[in-house]
Amino acid sequence: MNPHMRPGVWGVLATPFAGSTLDVDDSGIARLVEHADAAGVAGLTVLGVFGEAARLSWAERRLVLETVLETTDLPLVVGCTSLATAPVVDEARMAVELVGDRLAGVMVQANSADPATLDAHLTAVHQASGADVVVQDYPVVSGVHVSSAVLGDLVARSPHVTAVKAEAPPTPVAVAELTARCDVPVFGGLGGINLLDELACGAAGAMTGFSYPEGLVATVEAWDPAAPERSRAALLPYLPLITFEQQVGIALAVRKECLRRRGLIAESGVRPPARVLPDSLRPLLAAHLDATEAATGVPTRVPTGVTSGVA
């Protein structure tokens, strides 16, 4: 296993944009990285689905990675957006080139339910790039439904696979099946909405985004199978906001507006065809943030004066 692939919370970074042209906001990226680092994440996942990587140009992807690398010393998982082998190889090679020995793995989506096809894909990416692989099982995005038993057995015989991100619902069932069949870390996702049950089923933590990463970190750090109530107590104050953020179709817009209201990014724009936040939900979002602050004591608004970390 890659020594960088630690248990805990791997924060998935959003990509903030600026202005009517939705240019990548590198200062906002740096603030998000600094906040996640201060919250105690084990590492960062960059250019994932919630990072809108599929809507970034090649130059913009490089800018995002370079900004993250200049801002933190944390290990990185770098997302690859395609389901086809050739473009994933190109993305993986760029990750190796830029991230170097801080690369915990490239995150590659399961692209086939057929084990031979999937095995050939993952092996080709590793052999062509030299990168270890984090397999993302996310059928809502990929459209691919592979059984956890098949995936677990494949991972068990693939030394180049360093972790699995399990996002095929019901995720606690997937986590239990995967951890019974392979010995690499299995991480939950989906904004932490099933985190308590995933931990109970053997998850090594979460590889996901949430506007309060400190809440996810506290939950995972408190986990003890003999005393699960500690993690429950840590997560419960955040759960209403977690479920609000995870609304199908608008989850990205909700989270970016939460991050904006926290002072971590300047603007909450999303790139088409992503849907924008409906005006009818803005008062509800404000109420959720106020309630989260009251329940946790963690300020909604991050103190001003956060340095960008970028020259």
Side-chain angles (χ1 to χ4, degrees), residues 26-79:
D26 55 349
S27 295
I29 293 169
R31 285 193 296 273
L32 290 174
V33 170
E34 289 177 336
H35 184 74
D37 199 341
V41 298
L44 294 170
T45 302
V46 187
L47 300 179
V49 172
F50 258 85
E52 297 179 79
R55 301 175 190 125
L56 300 179
S57 70
W58 201 252
E60 288 172 330
R61 293 184 191 199
R62 293 185 70 97
L63 173 60
V64 170
L65 277 177
E66 288 167 351
T67 302
V68 173
L69 289 165
E70 290 174 5
T71 307
T72 184
D73 293 327
L74 286 169
L76 305 183
V77 167
V78 178

mmCIF file of all heavy atoms in Angstrom, residues 26-79:
data_model
loop_
_atom_site.group_PDB
_atom_site.id
_atom_site.type_symbol
_atom_site.label_atom_id
_atom_site.label_comp_id
_atom_site.label_asym_id
_atom_site.label_seq_id
_atom_site.Cartn_x
_atom_site.Cartn_y
_atom_site.Cartn_z
ATOM 1 N N ASP A 26 -7.567 30.898 -8.120
ATOM 2 C CA ASP A 26 -6.506 30.202 -7.397
ATOM 3 C C ASP A 26 -6.402 30.645 -5.942
ATOM 4 O O ASP A 26 -6.043 29.850 -5.060
ATOM 5 C CB ASP A 26 -5.164 30.334 -8.113
ATOM 6 C CG ASP A 26 -4.755 31.768 -8.387
ATOM 7 O OD1 ASP A 26 -5.581 32.680 -8.222
ATOM 8 O OD2 ASP A 26 -3.592 31.977 -8.779
ATOM 9 N N SER A 27 -6.750 31.892 -5.642
ATOM 10 C CA SER A 27 -6.729 32.334 -4.239
ATOM 11 C C SER A 27 -7.782 31.590 -3.425
ATOM 12 O O SER A 27 -7.545 31.213 -2.273
ATOM 13 C CB SER A 27 -6.983 33.844 -4.152
ATOM 14 O OG SER A 27 -5.936 34.555 -4.766
ATOM 15 N N GLY A 28 -8.940 31.370 -4.036
ATOM 16 C CA GLY A 28 -9.977 30.603 -3.348
ATOM 17 C C GLY A 28 -9.565 29.160 -3.130
ATOM 18 O O GLY A 28 -9.848 28.567 -2.082
ATOM 19 N N ILE A 29 -8.888 28.564 -4.122
ATOM 20 C CA ILE A 29 -8.377 27.203 -3.949
ATOM 21 C C ILE A 29 -7.440 27.148 -2.750
ATOM 22 O O ILE A 29 -7.531 26.253 -1.905
ATOM 23 C CB ILE A 29 -7.643 26.741 -5.223
ATOM 24 C CG1 ILE A 29 -8.619 26.584 -6.376
ATOM 25 C CG2 ILE A 29 -6.905 25.422 -4.975
ATOM 26 C CD1 ILE A 29 -7.945 26.403 -7.723
ATOM 27 N N ALA A 30 -6.550 28.119 -2.659
ATOM 28 C CA ALA A 30 -5.581 28.137 -1.557
ATOM 29 C C ALA A 30 -6.284 28.243 -0.205
ATOM 30 O O ALA A 30 -5.891 27.581 0.761
ATOM 31 C CB ALA A 30 -4.599 29.283 -1.741
ATOM 32 N N ARG A 31 -7.331 29.064 -0.112
ATOM 33 C CA ARG A 31 -8.056 29.185 1.161
ATOM 34 C C ARG A 31 -8.739 27.870 1.535
ATOM 35 O O ARG A 31 -8.739 27.469 2.703
ATOM 36 C CB ARG A 31 -9.071 30.321 1.078
ATOM 37 C CG ARG A 31 -8.453 31.717 1.151
ATOM 38 C CD ARG A 31 -9.508 32.781 1.390
ATOM 39 N NE ARG A 31 -10.458 32.873 0.290
ATOM 40 C CZ ARG A 31 -10.283 33.622 -0.791
ATOM 41 N NH1 ARG A 31 -9.159 34.331 -0.931
ATOM 42 N NH2 ARG A 31 -11.200 33.659 -1.741
ATOM 43 N N LEU A 32 -9.322 27.199 0.559
ATOM 44 C CA LEU A 32 -9.947 25.904 0.833
ATOM 45 C C LEU A 32 -8.916 24.900 1.327
ATOM 46 O O LEU A 32 -9.167 24.134 2.264
ATOM 47 C CB LEU A 32 -10.628 25.378 -0.427
ATOM 48 C CG LEU A 32 -11.882 26.103 -0.892
ATOM 49 C CD1 LEU A 32 -12.342 25.537 -2.233
ATOM 50 C CD2 LEU A 32 -13.005 25.988 0.138
ATOM 51 N N VAL A 33 -7.754 24.887 0.696
ATOM 52 C CA VAL A 33 -6.695 23.961 1.090
ATOM 53 C C VAL A 33 -6.228 24.256 2.506
ATOM 54 O O VAL A 33 -6.077 23.341 3.336
ATOM 55 C CB VAL A 33 -5.514 24.047 0.099
ATOM 56 C CG1 VAL A 33 -4.301 23.286 0.631
ATOM 57 C CG2 VAL A 33 -5.923 23.513 -1.264
ATOM 58 N N GLU A 34 -6.002 25.514 2.808
ATOM 59 C CA GLU A 34 -5.528 25.884 4.141
ATOM 60 C C GLU A 34 -6.545 25.514 5.218
ATOM 61 O O GLU A 34 -6.184 25.036 6.301
ATOM 62 C CB GLU A 34 -5.220 27.375 4.188
ATOM 63 C CG GLU A 34 -3.969 27.756 3.396
ATOM 64 C CD GLU A 34 -3.712 29.250 3.380
ATOM 65 O OE1 GLU A 34 -4.668 30.027 3.561
ATOM 66 O OE2 GLU A 34 -2.546 29.633 3.165
ATOM 67 N N HIS A 35 -7.815 25.714 4.903
ATOM 68 C CA HIS A 35 -8.842 25.385 5.895
ATOM 69 C C HIS A 35 -8.917 23.879 6.126
ATOM 70 O O HIS A 35 -9.007 23.418 7.270
ATOM 71 C CB HIS A 35 -10.200 25.920 5.454
ATOM 72 C CG HIS A 35 -11.277 25.687 6.469
ATOM 73 N ND1 HIS A 35 -11.359 26.423 7.634
ATOM 74 C CD2 HIS A 35 -12.289 24.791 6.520
ATOM 75 C CE1 HIS A 35 -12.388 26.002 8.352
ATOM 76 N NE2 HIS A 35 -12.964 25.005 7.699
ATOM 77 N N ALA A 36 -8.868 23.094 5.045
ATOM 78 C CA ALA A 36 -8.902 21.644 5.190
ATOM 79 C C ALA A 36 -7.690 21.141 5.950
ATOM 80 O O ALA A 36 -7.794 20.247 6.809
ATOM 81 C CB ALA A 36 -8.974 20.989 3.812
ATOM 82 N N ASP A 37 -6.528 21.699 5.660
ATOM 83 C CA ASP A 37 -5.303 21.320 6.358
ATOM 84 C C ASP A 37 -5.430 21.621 7.850
ATOM 85 O O ASP A 37 -5.128 20.777 8.709
ATOM 86 C CB ASP A 37 -4.127 22.087 5.749
ATOM 87 C CG ASP A 37 -2.782 21.457 6.065
ATOM 88 O OD1 ASP A 37 -2.699 20.662 7.020
ATOM 89 O OD2 ASP A 37 -1.801 21.775 5.369
ATOM 90 N N ALA A 38 -5.916 22.819 8.177
ATOM 91 C CA ALA A 38 -6.080 23.195 9.582
ATOM 92 C C ALA A 38 -7.127 22.332 10.285
ATOM 93 O O ALA A 38 -7.053 22.113 11.502
ATOM 94 C CB ALA A 38 -6.473 24.671 9.682
ATOM 95 N N ALA A 39 -8.097 21.815 9.523
ATOM 96 C CA ALA A 39 -9.136 20.965 10.108
ATOM 97 C C ALA A 39 -8.621 19.576 10.459
ATOM 98 O O ALA A 39 -9.290 18.830 11.171
ATOM 99 C CB ALA A 39 -10.313 20.848 9.145
ATOM 100 N N GLY A 40 -7.450 19.214 9.926
ATOM 101 C CA GLY A 40 -6.844 17.942 10.287
ATOM 102 C C GLY A 40 -7.063 16.804 9.314
ATOM 103 O O GLY A 40 -6.982 15.631 9.695
ATOM 104 N N VAL A 41 -7.325 17.118 8.039
ATOM 105 C CA VAL A 41 -7.516 16.043 7.062
ATOM 106 C C VAL A 41 -6.220 15.257 6.864
ATOM 107 O O VAL A 41 -5.121 15.784 7.056
ATOM 108 C CB VAL A 41 -8.019 16.592 5.711
ATOM 109 C CG1 VAL A 41 -9.376 17.277 5.873
ATOM 110 C CG2 VAL A 41 -7.003 17.540 5.072
ATOM 111 N N ALA A 42 -6.371 13.990 6.494
ATOM 112 C CA ALA A 42 -5.206 13.140 6.249
ATOM 113 C C ALA A 42 -4.551 13.464 4.918
ATOM 114 O O ALA A 42 -3.348 13.262 4.734
ATOM 115 C CB ALA A 42 -5.628 11.674 6.272
ATOM 116 N N GLY A 43 -5.347 13.944 3.979
ATOM 117 C CA GLY A 43 -4.868 14.291 2.655
ATOM 118 C C GLY A 43 -5.974 14.975 1.887
ATOM 119 O O GLY A 43 -7.075 15.191 2.418
ATOM 120 N N LEU A 44 -5.704 15.302 0.647
ATOM 121 C CA LEU A 44 -6.670 15.997 -0.190
ATOM 122 C C LEU A 44 -6.896 15.230 -1.486
ATOM 123 O O LEU A 44 -5.966 14.641 -2.035
ATOM 124 C CB LEU A 44 -6.178 17.407 -0.524
ATOM 125 C CG LEU A 44 -6.077 18.380 0.652
ATOM 126 C CD1 LEU A 44 -5.355 19.650 0.222
ATOM 127 C CD2 LEU A 44 -7.463 18.725 1.192
ATOM 128 N N THR A 45 -8.134 15.258 -1.940
ATOM 129 C CA THR A 45 -8.485 14.710 -3.237
ATOM 130 C C THR A 45 -8.784 15.874 -4.167
ATOM 131 O O THR A 45 -9.698 16.669 -3.911
ATOM 132 C CB THR A 45 -9.693 13.769 -3.136
ATOM 133 O OG1 THR A 45 -9.379 12.711 -2.216
ATOM 134 C CG2 THR A 45 -10.026 13.165 -4.487
ATOM 135 N N VAL A 46 -8.006 15.996 -5.211
ATOM 136 C CA VAL A 46 -8.041 17.147 -6.112
ATOM 137 C C VAL A 46 -8.525 16.687 -7.484
ATOM 138 O O VAL A 46 -8.202 15.576 -7.924
ATOM 139 C CB VAL A 46 -6.646 17.789 -6.225
ATOM 140 C CG1 VAL A 46 -6.700 19.083 -7.014
ATOM 141 C CG2 VAL A 46 -6.059 18.036 -4.832
ATOM 142 N N LEU A 47 -9.282 17.541 -8.159
ATOM 143 C CA LEU A 47 -9.804 17.251 -9.491
ATOM 144 C C LEU A 47 -10.761 16.062 -9.483
ATOM 145 O O LEU A 47 -10.793 15.239 -10.402
ATOM 146 C CB LEU A 47 -8.668 17.011 -10.500
ATOM 147 C CG LEU A 47 -7.692 18.177 -10.689
ATOM 148 C CD1 LEU A 47 -6.603 17.798 -11.691
ATOM 149 C CD2 LEU A 47 -8.418 19.428 -11.158
ATOM 150 N N GLY A 48 -11.571 15.995 -8.416
ATOM 151 C CA GLY A 48 -12.611 14.986 -8.360
ATOM 152 C C GLY A 48 -13.895 15.492 -9.006
ATOM 153 O O GLY A 48 -13.941 16.565 -9.610
ATOM 154 N N VAL A 49 -14.966 14.713 -8.849
ATOM 155 C CA VAL A 49 -16.255 15.090 -9.422
ATOM 156 C C VAL A 49 -16.718 16.429 -8.863
ATOM 157 O O VAL A 49 -17.174 17.306 -9.602
ATOM 158 C CB VAL A 49 -17.302 13.988 -9.157
ATOM 159 C CG1 VAL A 49 -18.686 14.452 -9.579
ATOM 160 C CG2 VAL A 49 -16.922 12.700 -9.891
ATOM 161 N N PHE A 50 -16.582 16.613 -7.543
ATOM 162 C CA PHE A 50 -17.005 17.872 -6.938
ATOM 163 C C PHE A 50 -16.029 19.005 -7.212
ATOM 164 O O PHE A 50 -16.326 20.161 -6.918
ATOM 165 C CB PHE A 50 -17.216 17.692 -5.424
ATOM 166 C CG PHE A 50 -18.674 17.570 -5.071
ATOM 167 C CD1 PHE A 50 -19.325 16.352 -5.143
ATOM 168 C CD2 PHE A 50 -19.405 18.671 -4.692
ATOM 169 C CE1 PHE A 50 -20.669 16.244 -4.838
ATOM 170 C CE2 PHE A 50 -20.754 18.567 -4.378
ATOM 171 C CZ PHE A 50 -21.387 17.348 -4.457
ATOM 172 N N GLY A 51 -14.875 18.677 -7.766
ATOM 173 C CA GLY A 51 -13.963 19.715 -8.208
ATOM 174 C C GLY A 51 -14.242 20.173 -9.622
ATOM 175 O O GLY A 51 -13.502 20.990 -10.165
ATOM 176 N N GLU A 52 -15.325 19.653 -10.217
ATOM 177 C CA GLU A 52 -15.737 20.004 -11.576
ATOM 178 C C GLU A 52 -14.611 19.789 -12.582
ATOM 179 O O GLU A 52 -14.473 20.512 -13.573
ATOM 180 C CB GLU A 52 -16.254 21.452 -11.635
ATOM 181 C CG GLU A 52 -17.506 21.673 -10.792
ATOM 182 C CD GLU A 52 -18.024 23.092 -10.822
ATOM 183 O OE1 GLU A 52 -18.683 23.490 -11.796
ATOM 184 O OE2 GLU A 52 -17.760 23.810 -9.825
ATOM 185 N N ALA A 53 -13.814 18.749 -12.330
ATOM 186 C CA ALA A 53 -12.654 18.509 -13.187
ATOM 187 C C ALA A 53 -13.050 18.271 -14.630
ATOM 188 O O ALA A 53 -12.317 18.646 -15.556
ATOM 189 C CB ALA A 53 -11.856 17.319 -12.656
ATOM 190 N N ALA A 54 -14.207 17.663 -14.848
ATOM 191 C CA ALA A 54 -14.636 17.385 -16.219
ATOM 192 C C ALA A 54 -14.943 18.657 -16.997
ATOM 193 O O ALA A 54 -15.045 18.616 -18.228
ATOM 194 C CB ALA A 54 -15.871 16.482 -16.205
ATOM 195 N N ARG A 55 -15.070 19.790 -16.288
ATOM 196 C CA ARG A 55 -15.376 21.063 -16.948
ATOM 197 C C ARG A 55 -14.170 21.998 -16.980
ATOM 198 O O ARG A 55 -14.313 23.179 -17.277
ATOM 199 C CB ARG A 55 -16.550 21.738 -16.234
ATOM 200 C CG ARG A 55 -17.803 20.868 -16.231
ATOM 201 C CD ARG A 55 -18.941 21.471 -15.426
ATOM 202 N NE ARG A 55 -19.991 20.457 -15.297
ATOM 203 C CZ ARG A 55 -20.506 20.049 -14.162
ATOM 204 N NH1 ARG A 55 -20.084 20.580 -13.025
ATOM 205 N NH2 ARG A 55 -21.443 19.130 -14.133
ATOM 206 N N LEU A 56 -12.997 21.461 -16.674
ATOM 207 C CA LEU A 56 -11.772 22.255 -16.679
ATOM 208 C C LEU A 56 -10.935 21.923 -17.900
ATOM 209 O O LEU A 56 -10.869 20.767 -18.330
ATOM 210 C CB LEU A 56 -10.941 21.979 -15.419
ATOM 211 C CG LEU A 56 -11.589 22.268 -14.067
ATOM 212 C CD1 LEU A 56 -10.622 21.905 -12.947
ATOM 213 C CD2 LEU A 56 -12.025 23.711 -13.942
ATOM 214 N N SER A 57 -10.276 22.939 -18.435
ATOM 215 C CA SER A 57 -9.315 22.690 -19.511
ATOM 216 C C SER A 57 -8.067 22.032 -18.931
ATOM 217 O O SER A 57 -7.864 21.985 -17.703
ATOM 218 C CB SER A 57 -8.940 24.006 -20.184
ATOM 219 O OG SER A 57 -8.144 24.805 -19.305
ATOM 220 N N TRP A 58 -7.210 21.550 -19.828
ATOM 221 C CA TRP A 58 -5.956 20.939 -19.385
ATOM 222 C C TRP A 58 -5.113 21.951 -18.608
ATOM 223 O O TRP A 58 -4.536 21.634 -17.565
ATOM 224 C CB TRP A 58 -5.203 20.425 -20.599
ATOM 225 C CG TRP A 58 -4.186 19.371 -20.284
ATOM 226 C CD1 TRP A 58 -2.838 19.502 -20.298
ATOM 227 C CD2 TRP A 58 -4.443 18.013 -19.897
ATOM 228 N NE1 TRP A 58 -2.231 18.323 -19.959
ATOM 229 C CE2 TRP A 58 -3.194 17.380 -19.708
ATOM 230 C CE3 TRP A 58 -5.611 17.272 -19.698
ATOM 231 C CZ2 TRP A 58 -3.077 16.052 -19.335
ATOM 232 C CZ3 TRP A 58 -5.491 15.937 -19.328
ATOM 233 C CH2 TRP A 58 -4.247 15.341 -19.147
ATOM 234 N N ALA A 59 -5.043 23.182 -19.096
ATOM 235 C CA ALA A 59 -4.265 24.217 -18.406
ATOM 236 C C ALA A 59 -4.866 24.530 -17.041
ATOM 237 O O ALA A 59 -4.127 24.774 -16.066
ATOM 238 C CB ALA A 59 -4.202 25.486 -19.261
ATOM 239 N N GLU A 60 -6.177 24.528 -16.951
ATOM 240 C CA GLU A 60 -6.820 24.807 -15.660
ATOM 241 C C GLU A 60 -6.570 23.687 -14.659
ATOM 242 O O GLU A 60 -6.383 23.941 -13.465
ATOM 243 C CB GLU A 60 -8.318 25.016 -15.868
ATOM 244 C CG GLU A 60 -8.658 26.334 -16.549
ATOM 245 C CD GLU A 60 -10.123 26.435 -16.919
ATOM 246 O OE1 GLU A 60 -10.765 25.386 -17.198
ATOM 247 O OE2 GLU A 60 -10.659 27.559 -16.921
ATOM 248 N N ARG A 61 -6.554 22.466 -15.124
ATOM 249 C CA ARG A 61 -6.245 21.359 -14.218
ATOM 250 C C ARG A 61 -4.832 21.515 -13.659
ATOM 251 O O ARG A 61 -4.591 21.277 -12.466
ATOM 252 C CB ARG A 61 -6.368 20.025 -14.959
ATOM 253 C CG ARG A 61 -7.779 19.684 -15.371
ATOM 254 C CD ARG A 61 -7.836 18.303 -16.001
ATOM 255 N NE ARG A 61 -9.116 18.049 -16.636
ATOM 256 C CZ ARG A 61 -9.587 16.848 -16.943
ATOM 257 N NH1 ARG A 61 -8.861 15.784 -16.663
ATOM 258 N NH2 ARG A 61 -10.749 16.697 -17.521
ATOM 259 N N ARG A 62 -3.897 21.896 -14.509
ATOM 260 C CA ARG A 62 -2.538 22.123 -14.041
ATOM 261 C C ARG A 62 -2.510 23.255 -13.012
ATOM 262 O O ARG A 62 -1.810 23.164 -11.992
ATOM 263 C CB ARG A 62 -1.612 22.453 -15.214
ATOM 264 C CG ARG A 62 -1.381 21.320 -16.186
ATOM 265 C CD ARG A 62 -0.348 21.702 -17.243
ATOM 266 N NE ARG A 62 0.974 21.803 -16.639
ATOM 267 C CZ ARG A 62 1.889 20.829 -16.649
ATOM 268 N NH1 ARG A 62 1.602 19.672 -17.233
ATOM 269 N NH2 ARG A 62 3.065 21.006 -16.100
ATOM 270 N N LEU A 63 -3.239 24.321 -13.275
ATOM 271 C CA LEU A 63 -3.273 25.451 -12.344
ATOM 272 C C LEU A 63 -3.805 25.019 -10.989
ATOM 273 O O LEU A 63 -3.252 25.392 -9.939
ATOM 274 C CB LEU A 63 -4.150 26.572 -12.913
ATOM 275 C CG LEU A 63 -4.414 27.760 -11.982
ATOM 276 C CD1 LEU A 63 -3.115 28.455 -11.579
ATOM 277 C CD2 LEU A 63 -5.375 28.750 -12.641
ATOM 278 N N VAL A 64 -4.880 24.229 -10.980
ATOM 279 C CA VAL A 64 -5.427 23.751 -9.711
ATOM 280 C C VAL A 64 -4.380 22.938 -8.958
ATOM 281 O O VAL A 64 -4.129 23.174 -7.756
ATOM 282 C CB VAL A 64 -6.696 22.913 -9.957
ATOM 283 C CG1 VAL A 64 -7.129 22.219 -8.661
ATOM 284 C CG2 VAL A 64 -7.833 23.787 -10.481
ATOM 285 N N LEU A 65 -3.760 21.988 -9.625
ATOM 286 C CA LEU A 65 -2.767 21.146 -8.958
ATOM 287 C C LEU A 65 -1.578 21.962 -8.461
ATOM 288 O O LEU A 65 -1.108 21.774 -7.331
ATOM 289 C CB LEU A 65 -2.283 20.056 -9.905
ATOM 290 C CG LEU A 65 -3.148 18.800 -10.017
ATOM 291 C CD1 LEU A 65 -2.574 17.854 -11.060
ATOM 292 C CD2 LEU A 65 -3.263 18.097 -8.670
ATOM 293 N N GLU A 66 -1.097 22.861 -9.272
ATOM 294 C CA GLU A 66 0.062 23.666 -8.874
ATOM 295 C C GLU A 66 -0.273 24.548 -7.678
ATOM 296 O O GLU A 66 0.564 24.717 -6.770
ATOM 297 C CB GLU A 66 0.530 24.506 -10.058
ATOM 298 C CG GLU A 66 1.217 23.684 -11.146
ATOM 299 C CD GLU A 66 1.398 24.452 -12.455
ATOM 300 O OE1 GLU A 66 0.850 25.571 -12.586
ATOM 301 O OE2 GLU A 66 2.097 23.917 -13.348
ATOM 302 N N THR A 67 -1.478 25.094 -7.639
ATOM 303 C CA THR A 67 -1.883 25.919 -6.504
ATOM 304 C C THR A 67 -1.942 25.100 -5.218
ATOM 305 O O THR A 67 -1.467 25.527 -4.166
ATOM 306 C CB THR A 67 -3.251 26.565 -6.775
ATOM 307 O OG1 THR A 67 -3.184 27.340 -7.973
ATOM 308 C CG2 THR A 67 -3.669 27.472 -5.626
ATOM 309 N N VAL A 68 -2.520 23.912 -5.314
ATOM 310 C CA VAL A 68 -2.600 23.038 -4.136
ATOM 311 C C VAL A 68 -1.200 22.679 -3.652
ATOM 312 O O VAL A 68 -0.902 22.728 -2.443
ATOM 313 C CB VAL A 68 -3.414 21.772 -4.456
ATOM 314 C CG1 VAL A 68 -3.358 20.793 -3.290
ATOM 315 C CG2 VAL A 68 -4.869 22.134 -4.767
ATOM 316 N N LEU A 69 -0.322 22.330 -4.566
ATOM 317 C CA LEU A 69 1.032 21.920 -4.193
ATOM 318 C C LEU A 69 1.820 23.053 -3.544
ATOM 319 O O LEU A 69 2.656 22.816 -2.664
ATOM 320 C CB LEU A 69 1.772 21.412 -5.427
ATOM 321 C CG LEU A 69 1.291 20.065 -5.967
ATOM 322 C CD1 LEU A 69 1.828 19.827 -7.378
ATOM 323 C CD2 LEU A 69 1.706 18.932 -5.036
ATOM 324 N N GLU A 70 1.551 24.289 -3.963
ATOM 325 C CA GLU A 70 2.233 25.441 -3.379
ATOM 326 C C GLU A 70 1.679 25.798 -1.997
ATOM 327 O O GLU A 70 2.340 26.507 -1.235
ATOM 328 C CB GLU A 70 2.088 26.654 -4.301
ATOM 329 C CG GLU A 70 2.876 26.545 -5.602
ATOM 330 C CD GLU A 70 2.580 27.694 -6.545
ATOM 331 O OE1 GLU A 70 1.836 28.616 -6.145
ATOM 332 O OE2 GLU A 70 3.071 27.674 -7.691
ATOM 333 N N THR A 71 0.491 25.308 -1.680
ATOM 334 C CA THR A 71 -0.205 25.751 -0.472
ATOM 335 C C THR A 71 -0.062 24.783 0.691
ATOM 336 O O THR A 71 -0.162 25.188 1.846
ATOM 337 C CB THR A 71 -1.701 25.958 -0.789
ATOM 338 O OG1 THR A 71 -1.834 26.817 -1.916
ATOM 339 C CG2 THR A 71 -2.431 26.599 0.385
ATOM 340 N N THR A 72 0.175 23.508 0.426
ATOM 341 C CA THR A 72 0.196 22.513 1.490
ATOM 342 C C THR A 72 1.224 21.434 1.187
ATOM 343 O O THR A 72 1.612 21.231 0.032
ATOM 344 C CB THR A 72 -1.194 21.860 1.658
ATOM 345 O OG1 THR A 72 -1.169 20.954 2.768
ATOM 346 C CG2 THR A 72 -1.609 21.107 0.410
ATOM 347 N N ASP A 73 1.633 20.737 2.247
ATOM 348 C CA ASP A 73 2.509 19.578 2.101
ATOM 349 C C ASP A 73 1.738 18.270 2.222
ATOM 350 O O ASP A 73 2.338 17.186 2.254
ATOM 351 C CB ASP A 73 3.604 19.606 3.181
ATOM 352 C CG ASP A 73 4.569 20.760 2.992
ATOM 353 O OD1 ASP A 73 4.828 21.129 1.825
ATOM 354 O OD2 ASP A 73 5.058 21.310 4.002
ATOM 355 N N LEU A 74 0.416 18.329 2.294
ATOM 356 C CA LEU A 74 -0.387 17.125 2.426
ATOM 357 C C LEU A 74 -0.244 16.224 1.201
ATOM 358 O O LEU A 74 -0.028 16.706 0.088
ATOM 359 C CB LEU A 74 -1.864 17.494 2.586
ATOM 360 C CG LEU A 74 -2.301 18.071 3.928
ATOM 361 C CD1 LEU A 74 -3.715 18.632 3.824
ATOM 362 C CD2 LEU A 74 -2.225 17.001 5.022
ATOM 363 N N PRO A 75 -0.382 14.911 1.380
ATOM 364 C CA PRO A 75 -0.415 14.014 0.223
ATOM 365 C C PRO A 75 -1.707 14.217 -0.560
ATOM 366 O O PRO A 75 -2.721 14.663 -0.014
ATOM 367 C CB PRO A 75 -0.358 12.623 0.847
ATOM 368 C CG PRO A 75 -0.904 12.798 2.227
ATOM 369 C CD PRO A 75 -0.502 14.177 2.660
ATOM 370 N N LEU A 76 -1.664 13.862 -1.844
ATOM 371 C CA LEU A 76 -2.799 14.112 -2.719
ATOM 372 C C LEU A 76 -3.245 12.840 -3.441
ATOM 373 O O LEU A 76 -2.425 12.013 -3.835
ATOM 374 C CB LEU A 76 -2.443 15.157 -3.787
ATOM 375 C CG LEU A 76 -1.902 16.513 -3.322
ATOM 376 C CD1 LEU A 76 -1.677 17.415 -4.531
ATOM 377 C CD2 LEU A 76 -2.831 17.169 -2.316
ATOM 378 N N VAL A 77 -4.547 12.727 -3.595
ATOM 379 C CA VAL A 77 -5.157 11.839 -4.577
ATOM 380 C C VAL A 77 -5.657 12.740 -5.693
ATOM 381 O O VAL A 77 -6.312 13.748 -5.440
ATOM 382 C CB VAL A 77 -6.314 11.030 -3.971
ATOM 383 C CG1 VAL A 77 -7.138 10.352 -5.064
ATOM 384 C CG2 VAL A 77 -5.791 9.999 -2.982
ATOM 385 N N VAL A 78 -5.339 12.392 -6.927
ATOM 386 C CA VAL A 78 -5.713 13.222 -8.077
ATOM 387 C C VAL A 78 -6.732 12.470 -8.922
ATOM 388 O O VAL A 78 -6.479 11.337 -9.347
ATOM 389 C CB VAL A 78 -4.486 13.598 -8.917
ATOM 390 C CG1 VAL A 78 -4.904 14.428 -10.127
ATOM 391 C CG2 VAL A 78 -3.486 14.375 -8.067
ATOM 392 N N GLY A 79 -7.869 13.103 -9.165
ATOM 393 C CA GLY A 79 -8.932 12.465 -9.911
ATOM 394 C C GLY A 79 -8.666 12.411 -11.400
ATOM 395 O O GLY A 79 -8.041 13.304 -11.980
#
